[in-house]
């Protein structure tokens, strides 16, 4: 009995220890072991951290790791450069093997191509791509700014800082690419009926501030942007792809819990660097010196001529401006207001027209769905105030997309977006009579107001060359462009077989633009007519129907994708305009119905319609992921060409070789991916005004009688412009995804250029539209990206791209053509064989004559001459090029948890104007 009790107690203690063991173990130090590899089983050096703590380890060279846990319910966060991070719950386990999916390699990304998607590793054409994470939260109003400096070979320049202004986008030197948003080709040029550049007589002298129709798209709605740069990638769009293609894919729904997103940002804009001008005293002193110099010149030249004459004219001219008396002596204290310091006026005109301007954006969206139906709905408000007073751009936009899997074979969907924008435009850009140019020339002795509410008269202040008081121009010209935009598309896709499907879609792009420009009677522009109002209306409707049959099949190491289809597109544009004069001076009346006199300006082409019908086909062949082939052809029929020239045919072919997948590089740890590409193909261009292939009669008036008159000469031989492009490149991903990028070389030739050839004035027409000329673009592109640091808490990536571009005119119908930025001024550019397009021309500046202060210039024989001796036709020469020799950018992005810091830097070098 005595032996039985100890045995029983010993058993009881053992059972108790066993039952308490699960409670005791968590308090002990547990260790988890495991291994991290990629999908192919290669070991990965990864960071393994316990979520919510700073405790972590790094896996060994063979991928193995061992980490002490604080509990069985710990969650591990595993990350490595070039791979998607994972969060894994331990759940009491003591061993875990982790497989990370590649992410850092851009060659593994899916990219959008024409009428489909491909892995970038399978792409054989020149395509650059960025995702939403690369440009989200940027304070921009235009989607083109989203790609500025981020992709090689693409130059985005902002000729204006005014809100809502248009951008100049060029792809490998070709401007105005085609934008395709969710499959809908968009009108991208300025769609305003009225310009904002007028001369002192009120005649239009150019476009002024351009506006951009692609500003109607909210950049933060975009999921990805792909740029098709060579003919192999772009030929599937045929005639519309002459200048490259920008594919925009917007956000769509995702299966899962509905995700609500509220986004807001605000900021401020300022003039980066103001020009320093003379103050009133300095201006007064300089004017005295100039007067003394003018009198000396008059006396010397009159004495030499033996008569009352000089370059300024007779003595009476100097007397007329009040600087000399009847004997030719300087007036010691001219009474003109512009030469009087007594008033104490010292106006800094740039401070008067510029301001600190806020910019804000508000967005709300919801995204979600299930396996059957997915949706995205969002709305935004963008408000940008201009740095010039009385100037702003405001946009309201909304978008909804729905995708539904109706049956196992049928899927349907729709995307609808609507926007309304109000652009309070500035009379400043691309004009020599703008607000800023007036401010640059205004005297500091001139006040803004001569009396409360009474603007100072600039003609009283030695500033007769101005067009108006700068502040008055900003405040008393009220120019609004109101745009309503609707873009909608619907599709249906039916799978006959797992490998065969048919997709049909219909899209509509509706654009309604109303321009109103009111000139107060206080302005020089309208003071003689009691105020004036110009109105313009443009209504554009484009519909597109696309029908695509696609086939995809794999057998063994072979993969084949083929598609063919038929598309048809039509665009109708209607234009109208009114002009009214004579408005009440009180009550802020600015409606055309209140004008004393209303007229309807003649519009040469009030209604135009253009149609395009196309047949297309493409084949992609892939052998074992190593050898790639793409062949494309598209035939386009355009209503803009004569019946016998209506169709253009645009083939292309490209090859790719994924060298890294060859056996001799399979075990090379330094090379993750390496691909060679080569392509050649043709695209076309039909971008000319409608009805140039036939004589078009339009409205006319003669002696008060309405009638018709021919508006153009027909061009029966008009045909397609051809663009031939050769491209070769290499894509690489190296050192465990630390560095990746591409190198490209291209040669592009545009032949049978569509343009206007000058005609003799006796024909009654200035130009005729013809095919003539040839332009060559060629260059190198380098794109590089690095994953410097990527951990759970901190990422640091950087990139660099540089493009070297050469442009040359190889032939022209008429060599050495002068062109001007303003239709009432001397030429500013020249088109000359052997030179880049649009070289600047001018008379070279020779400096200042230290003896008399005269500005001097070089004549055609390199001799110096005064400004009044210059003969532009005789002395003008090329003085530079508007085209950059190379483009470079180096964006740097770093992030700490949910915060991101972006530092984009870009430059265009080689644009030169040597005077």
């Amino acid at each position: 009995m005595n032996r039985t009790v100890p045995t029983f107690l010993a058993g009881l203690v053992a059972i108790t220890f066993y039952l308490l063991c699960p409670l005791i173990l968590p308090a002990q130090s547990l260790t988890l072991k495991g291994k991290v590899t990629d999908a192919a089983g290669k070991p990965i050096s990864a960071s393994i951290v316990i979520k919510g703590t700073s405790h972590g380890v790094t896996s060994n060279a063979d991928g193995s790791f061992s980490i002490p846990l604080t509990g069985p319910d710990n969650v591990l966060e595993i990350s490595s450069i070039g791979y998607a991070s994972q969060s894994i719950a331990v759940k009491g386990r003591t061993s875990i093997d982790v497989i990370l999916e590649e992410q850092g390699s851009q060659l593994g990304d899916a990219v959008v191509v024409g009428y489909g998607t491909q892995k970038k590793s399978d792409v054989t054409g020149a395509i650059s791509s960025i995702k939403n994470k690369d440009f989200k939260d940027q304070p921009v109003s235009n989607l083109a700014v989203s790609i500025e400096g981020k992709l090689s070979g693409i130059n985005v320049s902002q000729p204006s800082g005014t809100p809502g202004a248009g951008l100049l986008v060029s792809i490998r030197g070709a401007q105005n690419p085609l934008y395709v948003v969710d499959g809908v080709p968009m009108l991208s040029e300025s769609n305003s009926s009225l310009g904002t550049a007028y001369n002192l007589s009120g005649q239009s002298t150019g476009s002024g501030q351009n506006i951009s129709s692609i500003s109607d798209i909210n950049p933060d709605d975009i999921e990805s942007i792909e740029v098709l740069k060579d003919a192999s990638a772009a030929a599937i769009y045929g005639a519309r792809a002459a200048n490259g293609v920008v594919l925009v894919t917007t956000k769509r729904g995702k299966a899962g819990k509905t995700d609500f997103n509220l986004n807001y940002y605000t900021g401020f804009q300022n003039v980066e660097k103001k020009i320093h001008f003379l103050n009133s005293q300095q201006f007064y002193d300089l004017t005295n010196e100039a007067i003394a110099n003018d009198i000396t010149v008059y006396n010397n030249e009159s004495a030499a001529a033996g008569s009352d004459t000089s370059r300024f004219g007779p003595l009476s001219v100097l007397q007329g401006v009040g600087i000399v008396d009847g004997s030719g002596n300087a007036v010691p204290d001219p009474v003109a207001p512009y030469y009087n310091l007594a008033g104490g006026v010292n106006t800094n005109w740039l401070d008067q027209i510029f301001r600190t301007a806020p910019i804000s954006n508000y967005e709300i969206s919801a995204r979600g769905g299930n396996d059957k139906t997915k949706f995205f709905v969002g709305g935004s408000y963008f408000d940008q105030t201009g740095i010039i007073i009385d100037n702003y751009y405001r946009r309201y936009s909304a978008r909804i997309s729905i995708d539904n899997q109706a049956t196992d074979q049928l899927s349907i969907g729709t995307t609808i977006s609507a926007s309304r924008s109000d652009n309070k435009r500035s009379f400043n850009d691309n004009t020599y009579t703008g607000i800023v140019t007036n401010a640059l020339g205004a005297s500091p002795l001139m006040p803004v107001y001569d009396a409360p509410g009474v603007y100072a008269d600039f003609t009283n202040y030695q500033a007769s060359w101005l067009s108006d008081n700068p502040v008055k121009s900003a405040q008393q010209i009220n120019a609004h462009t109101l745009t309503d935009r609707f873009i909608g598309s619907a599709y249906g896709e039916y799978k006959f077989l797992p490998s065969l499907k048919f997709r049909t879609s219909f899209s509509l792009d509706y654009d309604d633009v109303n321009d109103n420009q009111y000139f107060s009677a206080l302005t020089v522009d309208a003071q003689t007519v009691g105020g004036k109002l110009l109105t313009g209306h443009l209504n554009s409707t484009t519909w597109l129907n696309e029908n695509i049959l696609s086939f995809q099949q794999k057998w063994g190491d072979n993969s084949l994708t083929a598609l063919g289809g038929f598309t048809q597109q039509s665009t109708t544009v209607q234009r109208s305009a009114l002009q009214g004069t004579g408005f009440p001076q009180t009550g802020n009346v600015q409606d055309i119905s209140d004008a004393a006199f209303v007229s309807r300006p003649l519009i040469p082409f009030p209604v135009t319609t253009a149609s395009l019908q196309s047949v297309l086909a493409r084949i992609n062949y892939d052998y074992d992921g190593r050898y790639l082939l793409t062949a494309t052809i598209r035939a386009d029929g355009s209503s803009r060409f004569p019946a016998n020239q209506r169709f253009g045919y645009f083939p292309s072919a490209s090859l790719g070789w994924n060298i890294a997948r060859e056996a001799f590089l399979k075990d090379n740890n330094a090379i993750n991916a390496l691909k060679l590409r080569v392509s050649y193909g043709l695209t076309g261009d039909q971008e000319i005004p409608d009805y140039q292939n036939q004589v078009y009669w339009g409205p006319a008036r003669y002696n008060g009688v309405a009638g018709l008159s021919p508006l153009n000469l027909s061009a029966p031989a008009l045909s397609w412009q051809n663009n031939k492009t050769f491209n070769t490149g290499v894509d690489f991903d190296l050192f465990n995804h630390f560095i990746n990028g591409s190198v490209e070389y291209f040669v592009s030739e545009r032949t049978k250029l569509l343009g206007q050839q000058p005609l003799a004035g006796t024909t009654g027409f200035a130009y005729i539209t013809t095919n003539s000329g040839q332009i060559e673009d060629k260059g190198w592109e380098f794109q590089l990206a690095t994953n410097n640091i990527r951990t759970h808490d901190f990422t640091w990536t950087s990139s660099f791209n540089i493009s070297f571009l050469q442009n040359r005119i190889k032939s022209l119908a008429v060599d050495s053509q002068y062109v001007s930025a303003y239709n009432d001024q001397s030429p500013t550019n020249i088109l000359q064989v052997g030179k880049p397009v649009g070289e600047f021309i001018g008379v070279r500046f020779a400096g200042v004559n230290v003896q008399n202060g005269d500005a001097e210039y070089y004549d055609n024989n390199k001799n110096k001459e005064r400004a009044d001796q210059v003969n532009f036709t005789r002395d003008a020469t090329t003085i530079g090029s508007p085209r950059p020799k190379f483009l470079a950018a180096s964006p740097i992005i770093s992030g700490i948890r949910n915060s991101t810091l972006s530092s984009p830097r870009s430059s265009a070098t080689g644009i030169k104007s040597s005077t």
Side-chain angles (χ1 to χ4, degrees):
M1 186 70 177
N2 292 336
R3 293 181 59 189
T4 304
V5 172
T7 302
F8 171 76
L9 291 175
L12 182 61
V13 170
I15 294 172
T16 302
F17 179 80
Y18 175 78
L19 294 174
L20 291 177
C21 196
L23 301 178
I24 297 173
L25 285 176
Q28 296 177 345
S29 177
L30 303 179
T31 298
L32 178 73
K33 294 182 179 182
K35 187 175 183 179
V36 183
T37 63
D38 63 11
K42 291 183 179 180
I44 297 174
S45 177
S47 170
I48 301 97
V49 179
I50 299 175
K51 186 175 182 179
T53 74
S54 59
H55 303 302
V57 297
T58 300
S59 58
N60 301 315
D62 62 353
S64 64
F65 68 90
S66 176
I67 183 172
L69 302 177
T70 60
D73 295 326
N74 286 156
V75 175
L76 300 183
E77 294 185 330
I78 300 98
S79 61
S80 178
I81 294 176
Y83 296 87
S85 299
Q86 288 190 30
S87 294
I88 300 176
V90 175
K91 296 182 179 179
R93 289 176 288 182
T94 59
S95 177
I96 295 178
D97 288 334
V98 181
I99 299 175
L100 294 183
E101 297 291 334
E102 290 191 38
Q103 183 187 53
S105 172
Q106 293 185 356
L107 296 178
D109 291 346
V111 296
V112 179
V113 296
Y115 305 100
T117 60
Q118 283 184 286
K119 287 180 62 178
K120 193 166 184 179
S121 59
D122 297 336
V123 171
T124 55
I127 300 178
S128 294
S129 175
I130 59 172
K131 306 301 182 184
N132 177 268
K133 62 182 177 62
D134 299 316
F135 56 79
K136 67 177 182 178
D137 300 328
Q138 290 185 354
V140 297
S141 63
N142 193 306
L143 69 88
V145 183
S146 302
I147 60 178
E148 182 179 6
K150 297 180 177 66
L151 303 174
S152 62
I154 300 165
N155 185 26
V156 180
S157 58
Q158 302 185 50
S160 167
T162 53
L167 302 175
L168 297 178
V169 179
S170 66
I171 299 176
R172 294 180 166 179
Q175 292 188 348
N176 298 322
L178 170 70
Y179 293 87
V180 180
V181 181
D182 291 332
V184 182
M186 283 185 58
L187 174 77
S188 59
E189 61 269 18
S190 178
N191 50 8
S192 171
S193 300
L194 301 178
T196 58
Y198 301 93
N199 61 18
L200 299 181
S201 301
Q203 298 171 322
S204 176
T205 60
S207 61
Q209 181 202 347
N210 280 320
I211 63 174
S212 174
S213 63
I214 59 173
S215 291
D216 300 328
I217 304 297
N218 177 16
D220 277 342
D221 276 349
I222 298 172
E223 189 75 61
S224 68
I225 299 176
E226 275 78 22
V227 181
L228 314 184
K229 298 188 289 188
D230 72 340
S232 172
I236 196 71
Y237 288 101
R240 298 172 297 179
N243 300 320
V245 182
V246 179
L247 301 181
V248 178
T249 303
T250 60
K251 296 175 182 176
R252 307 191 73 84
K254 291 184 177 180
K257 182 180 178 181
T258 300
D259 178 25
F260 292 94
N261 182 54
L262 177 63
N263 185 29
Y264 164 75
Y265 66 74
T266 189
F268 296 93
Q269 309 155 97
N270 287 288
V271 177
E272 183 175 354
K273 184 179 181 180
K274 292 182 182 178
I275 302 173
H276 294 290
F277 288 96
L278 303 179
N279 60 31
S280 293
Q281 182 65 57
Q282 293 167 330
F283 182 74
Y284 177 90
D285 294 338
L286 186 65
T287 304
N288 271 331
E289 183 181 345
I291 289 173
N293 289 338
D294 288 349
I295 294 173
T296 299
V297 170
Y298 169 78
N299 290 331
N300 292 339
E301 294 186 358
S302 294
S307 62
D308 178 18
T309 184
S310 74
R311 75 187 70 168
F312 308 121
L315 181 63
S316 58
V317 174
L318 300 182
Q319 288 179 283
V321 294
I323 64 175
V324 299
D325 58 21
S327 301
N329 298 316
V331 175
D333 188 17
V335 295
Y338 65 76
Y339 198 57
N340 185 3
L341 288 173
V345 176
N346 184 28
T347 306
N348 185 317
W349 283 100
L350 294 187
D351 288 344
Q352 296 297 323
I353 64 167
F354 289 136
R355 61 183 172 181
T356 297
I359 179 173
S360 300
N361 188 68
Y362 309 81
E363 295 179 16
I364 187 170
S365 64
R367 187 179 194 179
N370 52 38
D371 292 338
K372 283 288 187 180
T373 303
K374 305 175 183 66
F375 71 91
F376 175 92
V377 59
S380 70
Y381 170 62
F382 178 81
D383 185 356
Q384 182 179 11
T385 301
I387 57 175
I388 295 177
I389 58 176
D390 282 69
N391 173 225
Y392 61 77
Y393 175 76
R394 295 167 184 163
R395 181 188 64 220
Y396 308 82
S397 64
R399 192 174 65 84
I400 183 171
S401 67
I402 299 175
D403 298 288
N404 177 257
Q405 189 69 45
T407 69
D408 290 340
Q409 289 78 36
L410 177 65
S411 59
I412 55 177
T414 185
T415 299
I416 298 173
S417 65
S419 66
R420 180 176 177 83
S421 63
D422 179 5
N423 192 340
K424 175 67 166 61
R425 297 169 74 180
S426 169
F427 277 62
N428 182 65
D429 299 338
N430 303 315
T431 177
Y432 54 88
T433 59
I435 297 169
V436 174
T437 50
N438 281 332
L440 296 177
S443 167
L445 291 165
M446 170 178 148
V448 177
Y449 302 96
D450 282 335
V454 180
Y455 292 98
D457 183 354
F458 66 94
T459 62
N460 293 331
Y461 294 89
Q462 200 184 17
S464 58
W465 56 83
L466 303 184
S467 64
D468 213 332
N469 180 316
V471 175
K472 189 210 296 185
S473 291
Q475 296 179 340
Q476 297 299 317
I477 299 177
N478 188 16
H480 283 266
T481 297
L482 299 172
T483 303
D484 294 303
R485 189 76 174 267
F486 173 88
I487 301 174
S489 64
Y491 74 87
E493 184 175 284
Y494 189 84
K495 286 187 177 181
F496 297 100
L497 300 169
S499 59
L500 183 66
K501 64 183 178 181
F502 174 76
R503 182 186 179 99
T504 184
S505 64
F506 185 87
S507 60
L508 181 71
D509 182 1
Y510 176 82
D511 202 12
D512 191 74
V513 184
N514 286 280
D515 288 289
N516 289 274
Q517 296 180 0
Y518 175 75
F519 299 77
S520 161
L522 298 176
T523 63
V524 171
D525 303 82
Q527 61 186 3
T528 60
V529 293
K532 69 177 179 181
L533 176 67
L534 307 177
T535 69
H537 180 228
L538 180 143
N539 182 284
S540 172
T541 303
T542 298
W543 62 263
L544 171 68
N545 171 239
E546 296 184 318
N547 305 277
I548 306 296
L549 182 68
S550 58
F551 172 81
Q552 187 172 18
Q553 185 68 51
K554 289 194 67 174
W555 66 99
D557 292 332
N558 302 276
S559 176
L560 177 68
T561 301
L563 64 83
F566 169 74
T567 76
Q568 50 188 345
Q569 175 183 327
S570 179
T571 299
T572 300
V573 179
Q574 294 179 299
R575 299 174 177 87
S576 62
L578 289 174
Q579 179 173 323
T581 58
F583 286 85
Q585 298 307 296
T586 59
N588 195 30
V589 177
Q590 299 182 19
D591 191 272
I592 193 71
S593 62
D594 296 311
F597 304 96
V598 178
S599 62
R600 184 183 295 273
L602 290 176
I603 298 178
F605 300 90
V607 181
T608 60
T609 299
S611 299
L612 189 69
Q613 293 185 339
S614 309
V615 178
L616 59 93
R618 182 176 64 210
I619 293 176
N620 296 93
Y621 174 73
D622 173 352
Y623 177 74
D624 194 27
R626 291 182 291 166
Y627 310 117
L628 311 169
L629 167 68
T630 299
T632 304
I633 188 168
R634 178 167 177 141
D636 284 320
S638 172
S639 63
R640 290 176 173 166
F641 298 111
N644 61 340
Q645 301 285 352
R646 186 145 295 169
F647 277 88
Y649 302 90
F650 311 106
S652 73
S654 58
L655 298 170
W657 179 22
N658 277 317
I659 305 176
R661 296 185 181 179
E662 296 290 352
F664 58 84
L665 284 180
K666 188 173 183 180
D667 297 324
N668 190 312
N669 293 326
I671 300 176
N672 302 108
L674 182 64
K675 180 177 66 175
L676 297 181
R677 296 178 280 106
V678 63
S679 68
Y680 181 81
L682 275 68
T683 57
D685 199 341
Q686 57 146 2
E687 295 309 311
I688 55 174
D690 295 318
Y691 312 130
Q692 297 303 298
N693 63 330
Q694 57 188 326
V695 176
Y696 185 86
W697 292 71
R701 296 191 187 105
Y702 180 76
N703 199 24
V705 178
L708 295 174
S709 68
L711 299 180
N712 66 295
L713 288 178
S714 66
L718 202 62
S719 64
W720 291 87
Q721 175 178 314
N722 287 326
N723 303 328
K724 308 171 185 177
T725 303
F726 168 79
N727 190 96
T728 184
V730 57
D731 303 320
F732 55 87
D733 185 30
L734 309 173
F735 309 119
N736 195 26
H737 311 293
F738 174 73
I739 183 171
N740 63 76
S742 63
V743 178
E744 309 266 357
Y745 174 74
F746 70 92
V747 179
S748 175
E749 283 197 356
R750 286 173 277 171
T751 61
K752 300 175 65 177
L753 297 175
L754 290 168
Q756 293 182 320
Q757 181 176 331
L759 293 174
T762 54
T763 64
F765 298 91
Y767 301 95
I768 185 173
T769 302
T770 62
N771 293 97
S772 60
Q774 183 175 351
I775 295 175
E776 179 186 72
D777 290 285
K778 62 182 179 180
W780 289 88
E781 298 173 357
F782 300 87
Q783 184 103 19
L784 195 66
T786 59
N787 292 294
N788 305 315
I789 299 175
R790 179 171 291 178
T791 66
H792 172 68
D793 294 321
F794 180 72
T795 61
W796 172 26
T797 63
S798 57
S799 62
F800 175 76
N801 67 76
I802 187 169
S803 306
F804 297 90
L805 308 174
Q806 294 182 19
N807 172 265
R808 181 168 63 101
I809 299 175
K810 299 184 73 172
S811 67
L812 287 171
V814 179
D815 194 11
S816 300
Q817 296 181 46
Y818 289 128
V819 293
S820 178
Y822 312 104
N823 55 26
D824 65 339
Q825 293 291 295
S826 298
T828 55
N829 305 80
I830 188 172
L831 301 176
Q832 192 172 19
V833 173
K835 302 284 186 168
V837 173
E839 281 203 317
F840 296 122
I841 59 170
V843 181
R844 292 187 182 276
F845 182 58
V848 176
N849 188 319
V850 295
Q851 302 298 323
N852 55 28
D854 283 344
E856 294 184 326
Y857 299 84
Y858 290 111
D859 65 13
N860 61 327
N861 294 317
K862 308 301 181 184
N863 298 318
K864 294 181 180 180
E865 59 185 354
R866 298 192 311 265
D868 60 304
Q869 298 171 325
V870 169
N871 182 309
F872 187 87
T873 303
R874 179 195 65 203
D875 300 330
T877 184
T878 56
I879 58 175
S881 173
R883 292 179 172 267
K885 291 184 177 179
F886 67 87
L887 309 169
S890 55
I892 299 174
I893 300 176
S894 58
I896 301 176
R897 291 188 178 271
N898 294 323
S899 300
T900 302
L901 175 64
S902 177
S903 176
R905 302 174 183 177
S906 61
S907 65
T909 305
I911 300 174
K912 184 176 66 173
S913 177
S914 57
T915 58

